[in-house]
Amino acid sequence: VSGRFPYNVETELVPGRFEVVEPRAFSARIDAGDDVHLLSGHDYQKPLASRSAGTLTLRETPEALELEAWIEGGTTWAADFLAAHKAGLVRGLSPGFRVPAGGEQIERRGNGLLRRITRAELFELSTVTRPAFEQAQVEARCWQAEPHRQLVGAHPLNRWRL
């Protein structure tokens, strides 16, 4: 599974309350090599991958936090996630983080507020049905050809796509 959480994208969390995550806001724990989990629905009882297990890789670019995760259907919740994702039901990505003192700026906008997150401690990323940030998405990739697929006459690159 690969995914990305975009930086510098404003979203309305609830009416009148907006949020923007600045580039590299999550860098402290990522650069330190701290463990971060990929979860199903923000549930620590449903882990899908983690840095400590070697199944989650995180990379920050100026545009987004990007992830690559290796998920096998060895648990019921992983199999459920993979099936729900394949059906198009779970495509969103949502970060779980804590903002330390001094890690945010609040601006008044008419009757609303904009919260600009400059530093945050990232603990987990979750696959969700409806992310707060619409552009935060995950996609699955099949890196092995499925034996039951008919590949005769198919372009060689297409056999690796879902």
Side-chain angles (χ1 to χ4, degrees):
V1 173
S2 65
R4 76 190 297 274
F5 179 83
Y7 291 136
N8 282 328
V9 174
E10 186 176 304
T11 193
E12 188 171 22
L13 300 174
V14 296
R17 303 286 192 234
F18 298 87
E19 189 170 88
V20 172
V21 178
E22 297 280 321
R24 298 201 37 83
F26 300 127
S27 64
R29 293 195 81 238
I30 292 171
D31 292 350
D34 292 341
D35 198 17
V36 175
H37 290 82
L38 178 64
L39 307 175
S40 180
H42 293 290
D43 187 346
Y44 273 96
Q45 300 302 310
K46 295 180 180 178
L48 299 171
S50 73
R51 291 178 89 186
S52 64
T55 54
L56 177 65
T57 302
L58 301 175
R59 183 172 77 101
E60 283 194 298
T61 70
E63 295 80 34
L65 170 63
E66 298 175 345
L67 73 87
E68 290 283 331
W70 294 265
I71 300 172
E72 294 185 24
T75 61
T76 56
W77 58 86
D80 289 346
F81 160 72
L82 291 170
H85 187 292
K86 186 175 183 178
L89 301 172
V90 177
R91 295 278 194 235
L93 184 66
S94 177
F97 58 90
R98 186 179 73 77
V99 178
E104 65 185 357
Q105 300 167 352
I106 308 291
E107 302 170 22
R108 181 158 301 283
R109 283 189 163 174
N111 290 336
L113 296 174
L114 170 66
R115 178 186 190 204
R116 187 172 300 279
I117 298 171
T118 58
R119 284 182 302 130
E121 297 169 354
L122 180 69
F123 294 99
E124 55 95 0
L125 292 154
S126 283
T127 59
V128 295
T129 54
R130 295 189 61 193
F133 290 77
E134 280 185 39
Q135 299 89 340
Q137 298 288 315
V138 294
E139 68 177 32
R141 296 181 181 167
C142 181
W143 295 109
Q144 296 178 353
E146 294 177 14
H148 65 276
R149 280 196 174 171
Q150 174 64 310
L151 300 177
V152 177
H155 187 279
L157 295 178
N158 288 339
R159 67 180 177 198
W160 301 106
R161 296 189 179 135
L162 283 176

